[in-house]
Amino acid sequence: MHHSAHAREGRQNQLYDNGSRLVAGCVPIDKHGRRVLLVESTKNDGEWVLPKGGWENDETQEEAAARETWEEAGAIGKIVANLGEYAHKMDKRTGVPESVFIFFEMEVERVEERWPEMKKRGRRWFSYEEAKTIVSKKVMRKALEQCSLARR
């Protein structure tokens, strides 16, 4: 499976909120096992994604990312890096993306047996290499490529 690595970049440092939905999420890693925790998409059956969700501005982006990672994956840990901002689904006419994703790296300290969305979706550890192959959304693949596991 070969995807072009040359998506147009250079705009991911702007924070858009003029009509774009702001989404915060995590790349939850087990740095000792070189693994990434992914969750099942609730929209597309059989699709594995990074935990993420809408950022409400009564919390910091880090808080939103950590909260979504807890709600969707039951993982608790510390945010160790900002992996950048990524425009998703550009509107050709206006040049405004449908959403802007901001991802953080989280070193997972523990994974709870019970978590808010356990009935809605599964979670699973994948090796870093597997995670990069299995995640189909380009913005998520780019975030994975920025995390510390990418630097061997």
Side-chain angles (χ1 to χ4, degrees):
M1 234 170 69
H2 190 71
H3 300 280
S4 161
H6 302 293
R8 253 189 47 227
E9 273 164 358
R11 300 182 61 170
Q12 74 256 38
N13 295 336
Q14 292 171 27
L15 247 193
Y16 308 84
D17 39 7
N18 48 3
S20 304
R21 177 165 175 258
L22 295 173
V23 177
C26 279
V27 174
I29 67 161
D30 159 17
K31 64 174 190 216
H32 305 294
R34 287 186 54 76
R35 301 183 301 165
V36 179
L37 189 62
L38 298 179
V39 296
E40 284 174 308
S41 164
T42 52
K43 288 196 189 69
N44 306 314
D45 231 24
E47 187 185 356
W48 292 89
V49 294
L50 293 168
K52 49 94 187 82
W55 170 50
E56 311 300 333
N57 57 14
D58 61 343
E59 54 188 351
T60 67
Q61 290 167 325
E62 289 89 340
E63 286 167 346
R67 176 179 53 73
E68 291 292 343
T69 303
W70 158 248
E71 289 174 3
E72 295 189 357
I76 295 164
K78 64 174 190 289
I79 302 259
V80 293
N82 178 330
L83 301 176
E85 282 152 27
Y86 304 89
H88 179 59
K89 287 197 180 149
M90 297 300 281
D91 181 319
K92 300 276 183 285
R93 200 172 48 78
T94 61
V96 174
E98 180 186 295
S99 38
V100 173
F101 288 74
I102 179 162
F103 281 106
F104 297 92
E105 180 167 332
M106 174 190 279
E107 285 178 3
V108 174
E109 285 156 356
R110 60 180 208 271
V111 174
E112 296 289 344
E113 295 290 295
R114 308 179 62 81
W115 70 99
E117 297 191 11
M118 58 190 284
K119 302 266 195 297
K120 284 198 347 210
R121 62 173 96 230
R123 64 178 178 198
R124 202 165 115 204
W125 286 105
F126 291 90
S127 75
Y128 174 68
E129 280 68 29
E130 281 176 319
K132 262 197 330 193
T133 314
I134 205 165
V135 164
S136 59
K137 279 193 177 53
K138 203 191 287 165
V139 288
M140 295 189 178
R141 242 189 351 260
K142 283 196 205 153
L144 281 165
E145 284 161 7
Q146 297 306 313
C147 86
S148 62
L149 297 182
R151 301 185 288 282
R152 243 301 334 210

